Amino acid sequence: MRDKIIKEFTEQFGEGGDIRLFFAPGRVNLIGEHTDYNGGHVFPCALTIGTFAAVRRRSDRTVRFYSMNFENEGVITLDLDTELKPSPELRWVNYPAGIIWAFKERGLACPNGFDIVYCGTIPNGSGLSSSASIEVLTGFVLKSLFGFEVTNIDLAKIGQFSENKFNGVNCGIMDQFAIAMGKKDHAIFLDTSDLKFEYVPVRLDGIRVVIGNTNKKRGLGDSKYNERRSECENALEILRKTCDIKTLGDLNEEGFDAVCQNIEDPVVRKRAKHAVYENRRTIRAVEALNNNNIKLFGELMNASHVSLRDDYEVTGIELDTLVEEAWKQPGVLGSRMTGAGFGGCTVSLVESDKIDAFIDNVGRAYLEKIGYAADFYVVDIGDGPAEINN
Ligand code: GLA
């Protein structure tokens, strides 16, 4: 990768100077979906696939961006002296530009410009957080180039802030946190109500994490993500009239069942039920993993999918087909959609010696039903952002 990206860098921006190389991972969430903006728990991990960036500082106030994943867009230029605003002309650069803007909002204005080439190994729009990966990577680059004193948790917060305020997606903190704080062979059990977290070793003897990509493209901004978020806010407002809670994550199943009739709209009630039950499922799943009970962990993954399909309604025929076909295969401990939904990816735990048959069978059934192919990746859990020195 180093040679490939440096070659592209020098072709776009010329040779010489100190060209530095950085990496930030993508992420997959094992369980705890649509809980992060409801004060609940999530359990994601960083992947060894992600985004690379080659960077060289400039002495003027210009920033030039190029992405090897969007070659047709060519070089896109920003001037640090003009006000940074999201704009359709910036295209994918709205993500890194949002980070430069968010740093400035924190009083960390870039003293100089730079040239940067990105190259992602995460399929774009697949729900493995290619955008959060670019955000955290850009934050890490700014910190490294200009010596800004920010922690990796700050990078996660800055990433979420820029995605919310610059890119207009009201996402929670899960993606940016998983990426900024990733740890090899560990998943992150994060309580989004106070950002307390714990690294949990993922020891899966003879079992691998397999991602299925529906190849149905989706952008969070144009999905129903923000709508789900406001449905949950609506439910919380109603419940708070009678319960002493700050977030839906404060309720357990019994507590919710006792008061849920106060939510008259059955759709809003279902959304809130998912948020409450999924949070509890996540806590139980982590307990199961800690007890080395992968079977129970897998069953909770399956239950998570059912809830996302029936109560939260964020799956769709593509994700449901991949998951329901996965459930039929031997050697599958659990399978569910991962990320925002409406397309994107599934995550499955599959016995290593059954993976080839799994991919064949699920892939064939998907192609037959949906009319185009899915992709599959057997992934490893990796570390957070880093500078690559060799
Ligand atoms: C997207 C958002 C996250 C989270 C998930 C759903 O990935 O960016 O904050 O809400 O959807 O769990």
Side-chain angles (χ1 to χ4, degrees):
M1 179 53 72
R2 186 183 186 89
D3 293 348
K4 192 174 143 201
I5 190 168
I6 299 284
K7 182 166 174 278
E8 187 67 56
F9 186 95
T10 52
E11 266 165 32
Q12 294 299 330
F13 299 129
E15 290 182 0
D18 184 17
I19 304 170
R20 296 169 68 179
L21 189 63
F22 298 88
F23 172 79
R27 71 93 187 90
V28 67
N29 188 22
L30 298 177
I31 193 162
E33 217 64 81
H34 289 280
T35 48
D36 67 343
Y37 49 86
N38 286 310
H41 293 76
V42 291
F43 194 49
C45 48
L47 299 172
T48 53
I49 52 174
T51 318
F52 292 85
V55 192
R56 185 174 56 206
R57 213 175 147 150
R58 298 171 61 96
S59 49
D60 61 8
R61 303 274 299 153
T62 299
V63 187
R64 294 190 295 177
F65 298 91
Y66 182 83
S67 169
M68 293 168 73
N69 302 89
F70 301 104
E71 287 174 347
N72 295 340
E73 316 268 348
V75 173
I76 297 177
T77 302
L78 278 186
D79 175 1
L80 291 174
D81 291 323
T82 47
E83 194 197 340
L84 278 179
K85 279 200 274 230
S87 106
E89 282 95 72
L90 285 180
R91 321 280 296 182
W92 65 273
V93 169
N94 277 303
Y95 288 105
I99 298 297
I100 296 175
W101 169 84
F103 266 76
K104 196 167 175 203
E105 291 288 298
R106 279 200 165 209
L108 302 171
C110 294
N112 302 95
F114 51 93
D115 292 328
I116 185 163
V117 169
Y118 292 88
C119 182
T121 54
I122 316 168
N124 296 318
S126 62
L128 300 177
S129 288
S130 53
S131 44
S133 179
I134 292 179
E135 288 162 4
V136 172
L137 177 61
T138 306
F140 195 81
V141 164
L142 297 187
K143 164 186 163 145
S144 309
L145 281 192
F146 303 124
F148 293 139
E149 290 197 7
V150 284
T151 64
N152 279 22
I153 293 186
D154 292 331
L155 292 182
K157 289 183 184 164
I158 291 170
Q160 183 199 17
F161 179 75
S162 86
E163 182 134 357
N164 291 172
K165 304 288 180 210
F166 198 86
N167 290 292
V169 179
N170 276 329
C171 65
I173 195 145
M174 171 173 74
D175 302 345
Q176 291 82 4
F177 198 97
I179 289 167
M181 298 298 290
K183 181 168 169 176
K184 188 175 162 31
D185 296 333
H186 290 72
I188 307 174
F189 183 39
L190 171 68
D191 183 343
T192 61
S193 70
D194 56 9
L195 294 193
K196 288 210 178 94
F197 69 100
E198 201 184 299
Y199 287 117
V200 179
V202 181
R203 284 184 230 96
L204 300 168
D205 285 341
I207 296 164
R208 299 291 303 269
V209 178
V210 182
I211 288 173
N213 185 351
T214 60
N215 283 323
K216 183 187 180 195
K217 291 278 177 267
R218 142 206 91 76
L220 276 186
D222 52 43
S223 75
K224 292 189 173 295
Y225 185 89
N226 289 350
E227 185 183 298
R228 289 295 176 279
R229 196 169 170 153
S230 49
E231 285 164 341
C232 288
E233 279 159 11
N234 184 357
L236 177 65
E237 203 183 303
I238 297 169
L239 294 179
R240 284 188 64 166
K241 289 186 185 137
T242 52
C243 310
D244 181 22
I245 52 168
K246 282 208 189 66
T247 67
L248 293 177
D250 290 338
L251 284 172
N252 60 20
E253 293 97 332
E254 297 74 40
F256 177 76
D257 290 348
V259 294
C260 70
Q261 290 310 324
N262 294 345
I263 307 172
E264 274 170 32
D265 182 337
V267 172
V268 174
R269 198 185 312 138
K270 282 202 297 190
R271 307 296 192 244
K273 179 179 176 205
H274 168 79
V276 171
Y277 276 59
E278 178 75 355
N279 180 39
R280 296 288 140 179
R281 245 189 313 270
T282 306
I283 297 170
R284 288 215 305 281
V286 173
E287 231 171 69
L289 191 65
N290 277 326
N291 294 332
N292 220 6
N293 189 346
I294 313 291
K295 188 170 170 283
L296 177 57
F297 188 89
E299 285 164 8
L300 292 164
M301 287 175 76
N302 296 347
S304 164
H305 186 83
V306 170
S307 177
L308 288 156
R309 183 190 65 194
D310 299 344
D311 285 339
Y312 219 62
E313 296 182 283
V314 291
T315 57
I317 184 155
E318 299 83 2
L319 286 166
D320 288 338
T321 301
L322 276 189
V323 166
E324 285 158 21
E325 290 301 326
W327 288 343
K328 294 180 195 162
Q329 304 306 314
V332 172
L333 287 110
S335 184
R336 58 182 288 276
M337 60 149 271
T338 184
F342 313 104
C345 287
T346 65
V347 56
S348 309
L349 299 183
V350 188
E351 287 171 12
S352 306
D353 58 344
K354 309 277 189 339
I355 291 177
D356 289 348
F358 169 88
I359 293 176
D360 272 5
N361 294 341
V362 178
R364 196 174 324 108
Y366 184 82
L367 179 61
E368 221 161 78
K369 188 152 179 189
I370 305 299
Y372 54 84
D375 286 317
F376 296 90
Y377 327 105
V378 182
V379 294
D380 292 305
I381 302 179
D383 284 318
E387 178 159 10
I388 301 168
N389 289 314
N390 48 42

